Short mmCIF file of all heavy atoms in Angstrom, two decimals:
data_model
loop_
_atom_site.label_atom_id
_atom_site.label_comp_id
_atom_site.label_asym_id
_atom_site.label_seq_id
_atom_site.Cartn_x
_atom_site.Cartn_y
_atom_site.Cartn_z
N SER M 727 -1.51 4.84 -3.81
CA SER M 727 -0.91 5.97 -3.12
C SER M 727 -1.83 7.18 -3.17
O SER M 727 -2.37 7.52 -4.22
CB SER M 727 0.43 6.33 -3.76
OG SER M 727 0.95 7.52 -3.22
N LEU M 728 -2.00 7.82 -2.02
CA LEU M 728 -2.76 9.06 -1.92
C LEU M 728 -1.86 10.10 -1.25
O LEU M 728 -2.13 10.57 -0.15
CB LEU M 728 -4.04 8.84 -1.11
CG LEU M 728 -4.97 7.72 -1.57
CD1 LEU M 728 -6.07 7.48 -0.56
CD2 LEU M 728 -5.56 8.04 -2.93
N LYS M 729 -0.73 10.39 -1.88
CA LYS M 729 0.31 11.28 -1.34
C LYS M 729 0.90 10.68 -0.06
O LYS M 729 1.60 9.69 -0.11
CB LYS M 729 -0.22 12.68 -1.14
CG LYS M 729 -0.57 13.39 -2.45
CD LYS M 729 -0.94 14.85 -2.22
CE LYS M 729 -1.21 15.54 -3.55
NZ LYS M 729 -1.58 16.96 -3.37
N ASP M 730 0.58 11.26 1.11
CA ASP M 730 1.15 10.75 2.36
C ASP M 730 0.34 9.61 2.95
O ASP M 730 0.66 9.11 4.04
CB ASP M 730 1.25 11.87 3.40
CG ASP M 730 2.31 12.90 3.01
OD1 ASP M 730 3.26 12.53 2.31
OD2 ASP M 730 2.16 14.07 3.41
N TYR M 731 -0.72 9.21 2.26
CA TYR M 731 -1.56 8.10 2.70
C TYR M 731 -1.56 7.01 1.64
O TYR M 731 -1.16 7.25 0.50
CB TYR M 731 -2.99 8.57 2.96
CG TYR M 731 -3.15 9.49 4.14
CD1 TYR M 731 -2.83 10.84 4.03
CD2 TYR M 731 -3.60 9.00 5.37
CE1 TYR M 731 -2.96 11.70 5.13
CE2 TYR M 731 -3.74 9.86 6.46
CZ TYR M 731 -3.41 11.19 6.34
OH TYR M 731 -3.53 12.03 7.41
N VAL M 732 -2.01 5.84 2.02
CA VAL M 732 -2.26 4.80 1.03
C VAL M 732 -3.65 4.20 1.28
O VAL M 732 -4.12 4.17 2.41
CB VAL M 732 -1.21 3.66 1.06
CG1 VAL M 732 0.16 4.16 0.63
CG2 VAL M 732 -1.14 2.98 2.42
N LYS M 733 -4.25 3.75 0.20
CA LYS M 733 -5.50 3.00 0.29
C LYS M 733 -5.19 1.54 0.00
O LYS M 733 -4.66 1.21 -1.06
CB LYS M 733 -6.52 3.55 -0.72
CG LYS M 733 -7.84 2.76 -0.75
CD LYS M 733 -8.87 3.46 -1.60
CE LYS M 733 -8.54 3.45 -3.06
NZ LYS M 733 -9.58 4.08 -3.90
N VAL M 734 -5.51 0.67 0.94
CA VAL M 734 -5.31 -0.75 0.77
C VAL M 734 -6.67 -1.37 0.47
O VAL M 734 -7.60 -1.30 1.29
CB VAL M 734 -4.69 -1.40 2.01
CG1 VAL M 734 -4.54 -2.90 1.82
CG2 VAL M 734 -3.32 -0.77 2.29
N LYS M 735 -6.80 -1.93 -0.71
CA LYS M 735 -8.08 -2.46 -1.18
C LYS M 735 -8.08 -3.97 -1.14
O LYS M 735 -7.21 -4.63 -1.73
CB LYS M 735 -8.34 -1.96 -2.60
CG LYS M 735 -9.75 -2.24 -3.11
CD LYS M 735 -10.75 -1.33 -2.49
CE LYS M 735 -12.13 -1.50 -3.10
NZ LYS M 735 -13.15 -0.63 -2.46
N THR M 736 -9.03 -4.54 -0.43
CA THR M 736 -9.28 -5.97 -0.50
C THR M 736 -10.63 -6.17 -1.19
O THR M 736 -11.31 -5.20 -1.53
CB THR M 736 -9.31 -6.60 0.92
OG1 THR M 736 -10.52 -6.22 1.56
CG2 THR M 736 -8.10 -6.17 1.73
N GLN M 737 -11.02 -7.41 -1.37
CA GLN M 737 -12.30 -7.66 -2.03
C GLN M 737 -13.47 -7.16 -1.17
O GLN M 737 -14.52 -6.81 -1.68
CB GLN M 737 -12.46 -9.16 -2.30
CG GLN M 737 -13.39 -9.48 -3.46
CD GLN M 737 -12.82 -9.05 -4.81
OE1 GLN M 737 -11.65 -9.27 -5.10
NE2 GLN M 737 -13.67 -8.44 -5.65
N ASP M 738 -13.24 -7.08 0.15
CA ASP M 738 -14.35 -6.78 1.07
C ASP M 738 -14.25 -5.43 1.77
O ASP M 738 -15.23 -4.97 2.35
CB ASP M 738 -14.45 -7.88 2.14
CG ASP M 738 -14.65 -9.25 1.54
OD1 ASP M 738 -15.44 -9.37 0.58
OD2 ASP M 738 -14.01 -10.20 2.02
N GLN M 739 -13.07 -4.82 1.78
CA GLN M 739 -12.95 -3.59 2.53
C GLN M 739 -11.90 -2.66 1.92
O GLN M 739 -11.11 -3.08 1.07
CB GLN M 739 -12.59 -3.87 4.00
CG GLN M 739 -11.24 -4.55 4.17
CD GLN M 739 -10.92 -4.78 5.64
OE1 GLN M 739 -11.31 -4.02 6.52
NE2 GLN M 739 -10.17 -5.85 5.93
N GLU M 740 -11.90 -1.42 2.38
CA GLU M 740 -10.97 -0.41 1.92
C GLU M 740 -10.41 0.28 3.16
O GLU M 740 -11.16 0.79 3.99
CB GLU M 740 -11.70 0.59 1.02
CG GLU M 740 -10.85 1.72 0.52
CD GLU M 740 -11.65 2.66 -0.39
OE1 GLU M 740 -12.04 2.21 -1.48
OE2 GLU M 740 -11.90 3.79 0.03
N ILE M 741 -9.09 0.26 3.30
CA ILE M 741 -8.43 0.83 4.48
C ILE M 741 -7.52 1.96 4.04
O ILE M 741 -6.67 1.77 3.16
CB ILE M 741 -7.62 -0.24 5.22
CG1 ILE M 741 -8.52 -1.39 5.65
CG2 ILE M 741 -6.89 0.36 6.43
CD1 ILE M 741 -7.77 -2.64 6.01
N ILE M 742 -7.69 3.12 4.63
CA ILE M 742 -6.82 4.26 4.34
C ILE M 742 -5.96 4.51 5.57
O ILE M 742 -6.47 4.68 6.69
CB ILE M 742 -7.65 5.50 3.99
CG1 ILE M 742 -8.42 5.25 2.69
CG2 ILE M 742 -6.73 6.73 3.83
CD1 ILE M 742 -9.32 6.40 2.26
N THR M 743 -4.64 4.52 5.38
CA THR M 743 -3.71 4.62 6.48
C THR M 743 -2.60 5.62 6.15
O THR M 743 -2.24 5.79 4.98
CB THR M 743 -3.12 3.24 6.83
OG1 THR M 743 -2.26 3.34 7.98
CG2 THR M 743 -2.29 2.70 5.67
N TYR M 744 -2.08 6.26 7.19
CA TYR M 744 -1.01 7.23 6.99
C TYR M 744 0.30 6.49 6.78
O TYR M 744 0.92 5.99 7.71
CB TYR M 744 -0.90 8.15 8.22
CG TYR M 744 0.16 9.23 8.10
CD1 TYR M 744 -0.04 10.32 7.26
CD2 TYR M 744 1.34 9.13 8.80
CE1 TYR M 744 0.92 11.31 7.14
CE2 TYR M 744 2.32 10.13 8.69
CZ TYR M 744 2.10 11.21 7.86
OH TYR M 744 3.07 12.18 7.75
N GLN M 745 0.71 6.39 5.52
CA GLN M 745 1.91 5.64 5.17
C GLN M 745 2.30 5.94 3.73
O GLN M 745 1.43 6.25 2.90
CB GLN M 745 1.67 4.14 5.35
CG GLN M 745 2.92 3.29 5.37
CD GLN M 745 3.87 3.70 6.46
OE1 GLN M 745 4.87 4.35 6.20
NE2 GLN M 745 3.56 3.36 7.70
N ARG M 746 3.58 5.86 3.42
CA ARG M 746 4.04 6.04 2.04
C ARG M 746 4.02 4.71 1.30
O ARG M 746 4.36 3.67 1.88
CB ARG M 746 5.45 6.62 2.02
CG ARG M 746 5.56 8.06 2.53
CD ARG M 746 4.82 9.02 1.61
NE ARG M 746 5.02 10.41 1.99
CZ ARG M 746 5.92 11.21 1.43
NH1 ARG M 746 6.71 10.76 0.46
NH2 ARG M 746 6.04 12.46 1.83
N ILE M 747 3.68 4.73 0.03
CA ILE M 747 3.60 3.50 -0.74
C ILE M 747 4.97 2.84 -0.89
O ILE M 747 5.08 1.62 -0.96
CB ILE M 747 2.94 3.76 -2.13
CG1 ILE M 747 2.54 2.42 -2.76
CG2 ILE M 747 3.86 4.58 -3.03
CD1 ILE M 747 1.69 2.58 -4.02
N THR M 748 6.03 3.66 -0.91
CA THR M 748 7.38 3.08 -1.04
C THR M 748 7.74 2.24 0.18
O THR M 748 8.44 1.24 0.06
CB THR M 748 8.41 4.20 -1.22
OG1 THR M 748 8.24 5.19 -0.21
CG2 THR M 748 8.27 4.84 -2.59
N TYR M 749 7.26 2.65 1.35
CA TYR M 749 7.54 1.87 2.56
C TYR M 749 6.85 0.52 2.50
O TYR M 749 7.45 -0.52 2.80
CB TYR M 749 7.08 2.63 3.79
CG TYR M 749 7.39 1.93 5.09
CD1 TYR M 749 8.66 1.98 5.65
CD2 TYR M 749 6.42 1.19 5.75
CE1 TYR M 749 8.95 1.33 6.83
CE2 TYR M 749 6.71 0.53 6.93
CZ TYR M 749 7.97 0.60 7.47
OH TYR M 749 8.25 -0.06 8.63
N LEU M 750 5.58 0.51 2.06
CA LEU M 750 4.88 -0.76 1.92
C LEU M 750 5.52 -1.63 0.84
O LEU M 750 5.60 -2.84 1.00
CB LEU M 750 3.42 -0.50 1.55
CG LEU M 750 2.46 -0.19 2.71
CD1 LEU M 750 1.06 0.05 2.15
CD2 LEU M 750 2.44 -1.31 3.71
N GLU M 751 5.97 -1.01 -0.22
CA GLU M 751 6.61 -1.78 -1.29
C GLU M 751 7.83 -2.53 -0.77
O GLU M 751 8.06 -3.68 -1.15
CB GLU M 751 7.03 -0.84 -2.42
CG GLU M 751 7.64 -1.55 -3.61
CD GLU M 751 8.10 -0.59 -4.70
OE1 GLU M 751 8.25 0.62 -4.41
OE2 GLU M 751 8.32 -1.04 -5.84
N GLU M 752 8.59 -1.91 0.11
CA GLU M 752 9.77 -2.55 0.69
C GLU M 752 9.40 -3.72 1.60
O GLU M 752 10.14 -4.70 1.71
CB GLU M 752 10.59 -1.54 1.47
CG GLU M 752 11.24 -0.48 0.61
CD GLU M 752 11.88 0.61 1.46
OE1 GLU M 752 11.77 0.54 2.70
OE2 GLU M 752 12.50 1.53 0.88
N LYS M 753 8.25 -3.63 2.26
CA LYS M 753 7.85 -4.65 3.22
C LYS M 753 7.15 -5.84 2.59
O LYS M 753 7.22 -6.95 3.10
CB LYS M 753 6.93 -4.03 4.29
CG LYS M 753 7.60 -2.97 5.16
CD LYS M 753 8.74 -3.57 5.96
CE LYS M 753 9.43 -2.56 6.82
NZ LYS M 753 10.60 -3.12 7.54
N LEU M 754 6.46 -5.61 1.48
CA LEU M 754 5.71 -6.71 0.85
C LEU M 754 6.62 -7.63 0.06
O LEU M 754 7.61 -7.17 -0.54
CB LEU M 754 4.65 -6.12 -0.07
CG LEU M 754 3.51 -5.34 0.60
CD1 LEU M 754 2.67 -4.63 -0.45
CD2 LEU M 754 2.66 -6.25 1.45
N PRO M 755 6.34 -8.93 0.03
CA PRO M 755 7.16 -9.88 -0.73
C PRO M 755 7.08 -9.62 -2.23
O PRO M 755 5.97 -9.55 -2.78
CB PRO M 755 6.59 -11.25 -0.36
CG PRO M 755 5.18 -10.96 0.09
CD PRO M 755 5.21 -9.62 0.74
N ASP M 756 8.23 -9.45 -2.88
CA ASP M 756 8.22 -9.06 -4.29
C ASP M 756 7.82 -10.20 -5.22
O ASP M 756 7.62 -9.97 -6.42
CB ASP M 756 9.55 -8.45 -4.72
CG ASP M 756 10.73 -9.37 -4.43
OD1 ASP M 756 10.51 -10.57 -4.15
OD2 ASP M 756 11.87 -8.89 -4.49
N ASP M 757 7.70 -11.43 -4.69
CA ASP M 757 7.21 -12.52 -5.53
C ASP M 757 5.69 -12.64 -5.45
O ASP M 757 5.10 -13.48 -6.13
CB ASP M 757 7.86 -13.85 -5.16
CG ASP M 757 7.55 -14.27 -3.73
OD1 ASP M 757 7.31 -13.38 -2.88
OD2 ASP M 757 7.56 -15.48 -3.45
N LYS M 758 5.07 -11.79 -4.65
CA LYS M 758 3.60 -11.82 -4.50
C LYS M 758 2.95 -10.52 -4.93
O LYS M 758 1.76 -10.51 -5.26
CB LYS M 758 3.22 -12.09 -3.04
CG LYS M 758 3.84 -13.33 -2.42
CD LYS M 758 3.32 -14.59 -3.05
CE LYS M 758 3.91 -15.81 -2.36
NZ LYS M 758 3.46 -17.08 -3.00
N PHE M 759 3.72 -9.42 -4.93
CA PHE M 759 3.18 -8.11 -5.26
C PHE M 759 4.06 -7.42 -6.29
O PHE M 759 5.28 -7.66 -6.34
CB PHE M 759 3.05 -7.24 -4.00
CG PHE M 759 2.02 -7.75 -3.03
CD1 PHE M 759 2.37 -8.67 -2.05
CD2 PHE M 759 0.71 -7.32 -3.10
CE1 PHE M 759 1.42 -9.15 -1.16
CE2 PHE M 759 -0.24 -7.80 -2.22
CZ PHE M 759 0.11 -8.72 -1.24
N LEU M 760 3.46 -6.52 -7.07
CA LEU M 760 4.19 -5.87 -8.17
C LEU M 760 3.80 -4.40 -8.24
O LEU M 760 2.61 -4.04 -8.27
CB LEU M 760 3.86 -6.56 -9.49
CG LEU M 760 4.48 -5.97 -10.76
CD1 LEU M 760 6.00 -6.11 -10.71
CD2 LEU M 760 3.92 -6.68 -11.98
N ARG M 761 4.81 -3.54 -8.26
CA ARG M 761 4.58 -2.10 -8.47
C ARG M 761 4.37 -1.88 -9.97
O ARG M 761 5.26 -2.16 -10.78
CB ARG M 761 5.77 -1.31 -7.96
CG ARG M 761 5.63 0.22 -8.04
CD ARG M 761 4.86 0.77 -6.88
NE ARG M 761 4.82 2.23 -6.84
CZ ARG M 761 5.65 3.00 -6.15
NH1 ARG M 761 6.62 2.45 -5.42
NH2 ARG M 761 5.52 4.31 -6.15
N ILE M 762 3.21 -1.37 -10.37
CA ILE M 762 2.91 -1.18 -11.79
C ILE M 762 2.84 0.30 -12.17
O ILE M 762 2.73 0.63 -13.37
CB ILE M 762 1.60 -1.89 -12.19
CG1 ILE M 762 0.41 -1.24 -11.46
CG2 ILE M 762 1.67 -3.38 -11.92
CD1 ILE M 762 -0.96 -1.65 -12.02
#
């Protein structure tokens, strides 16, 4: 989370998008991702 933005990190790239981390948390499968 970067306030009103999020950084999505993969092994090969970094994507910064205008979005709240809580919204992504709701969309991602909770058996594959974990809020730490």
Side-chain angles (χ1 to χ4, degrees):
S727 173
L728 306 171
K729 293 187 178 180
D730 291 333
Y731 292 80
V732 294
K733 177 171 68 178
V734 178
K735 190 74 174 178
T736 73
Q737 206 68 45
D738 302 318
Q739 63 178 329
E740 179 179 292
I741 301 163
I742 296 178
T743 184
Y744 182 73
Q745 194 59 257
R746 292 294 186 97
I747 195 171
T748 51
Y749 183 80
L750 276 179
E751 183 182 17
E752 292 172 357
K753 295 297 180 183
L754 293 170
D756 55 14
D757 62 332
K758 306 293 183 183
F759 293 88
L760 177 65
R761 183 82 174 265
I762 64 167

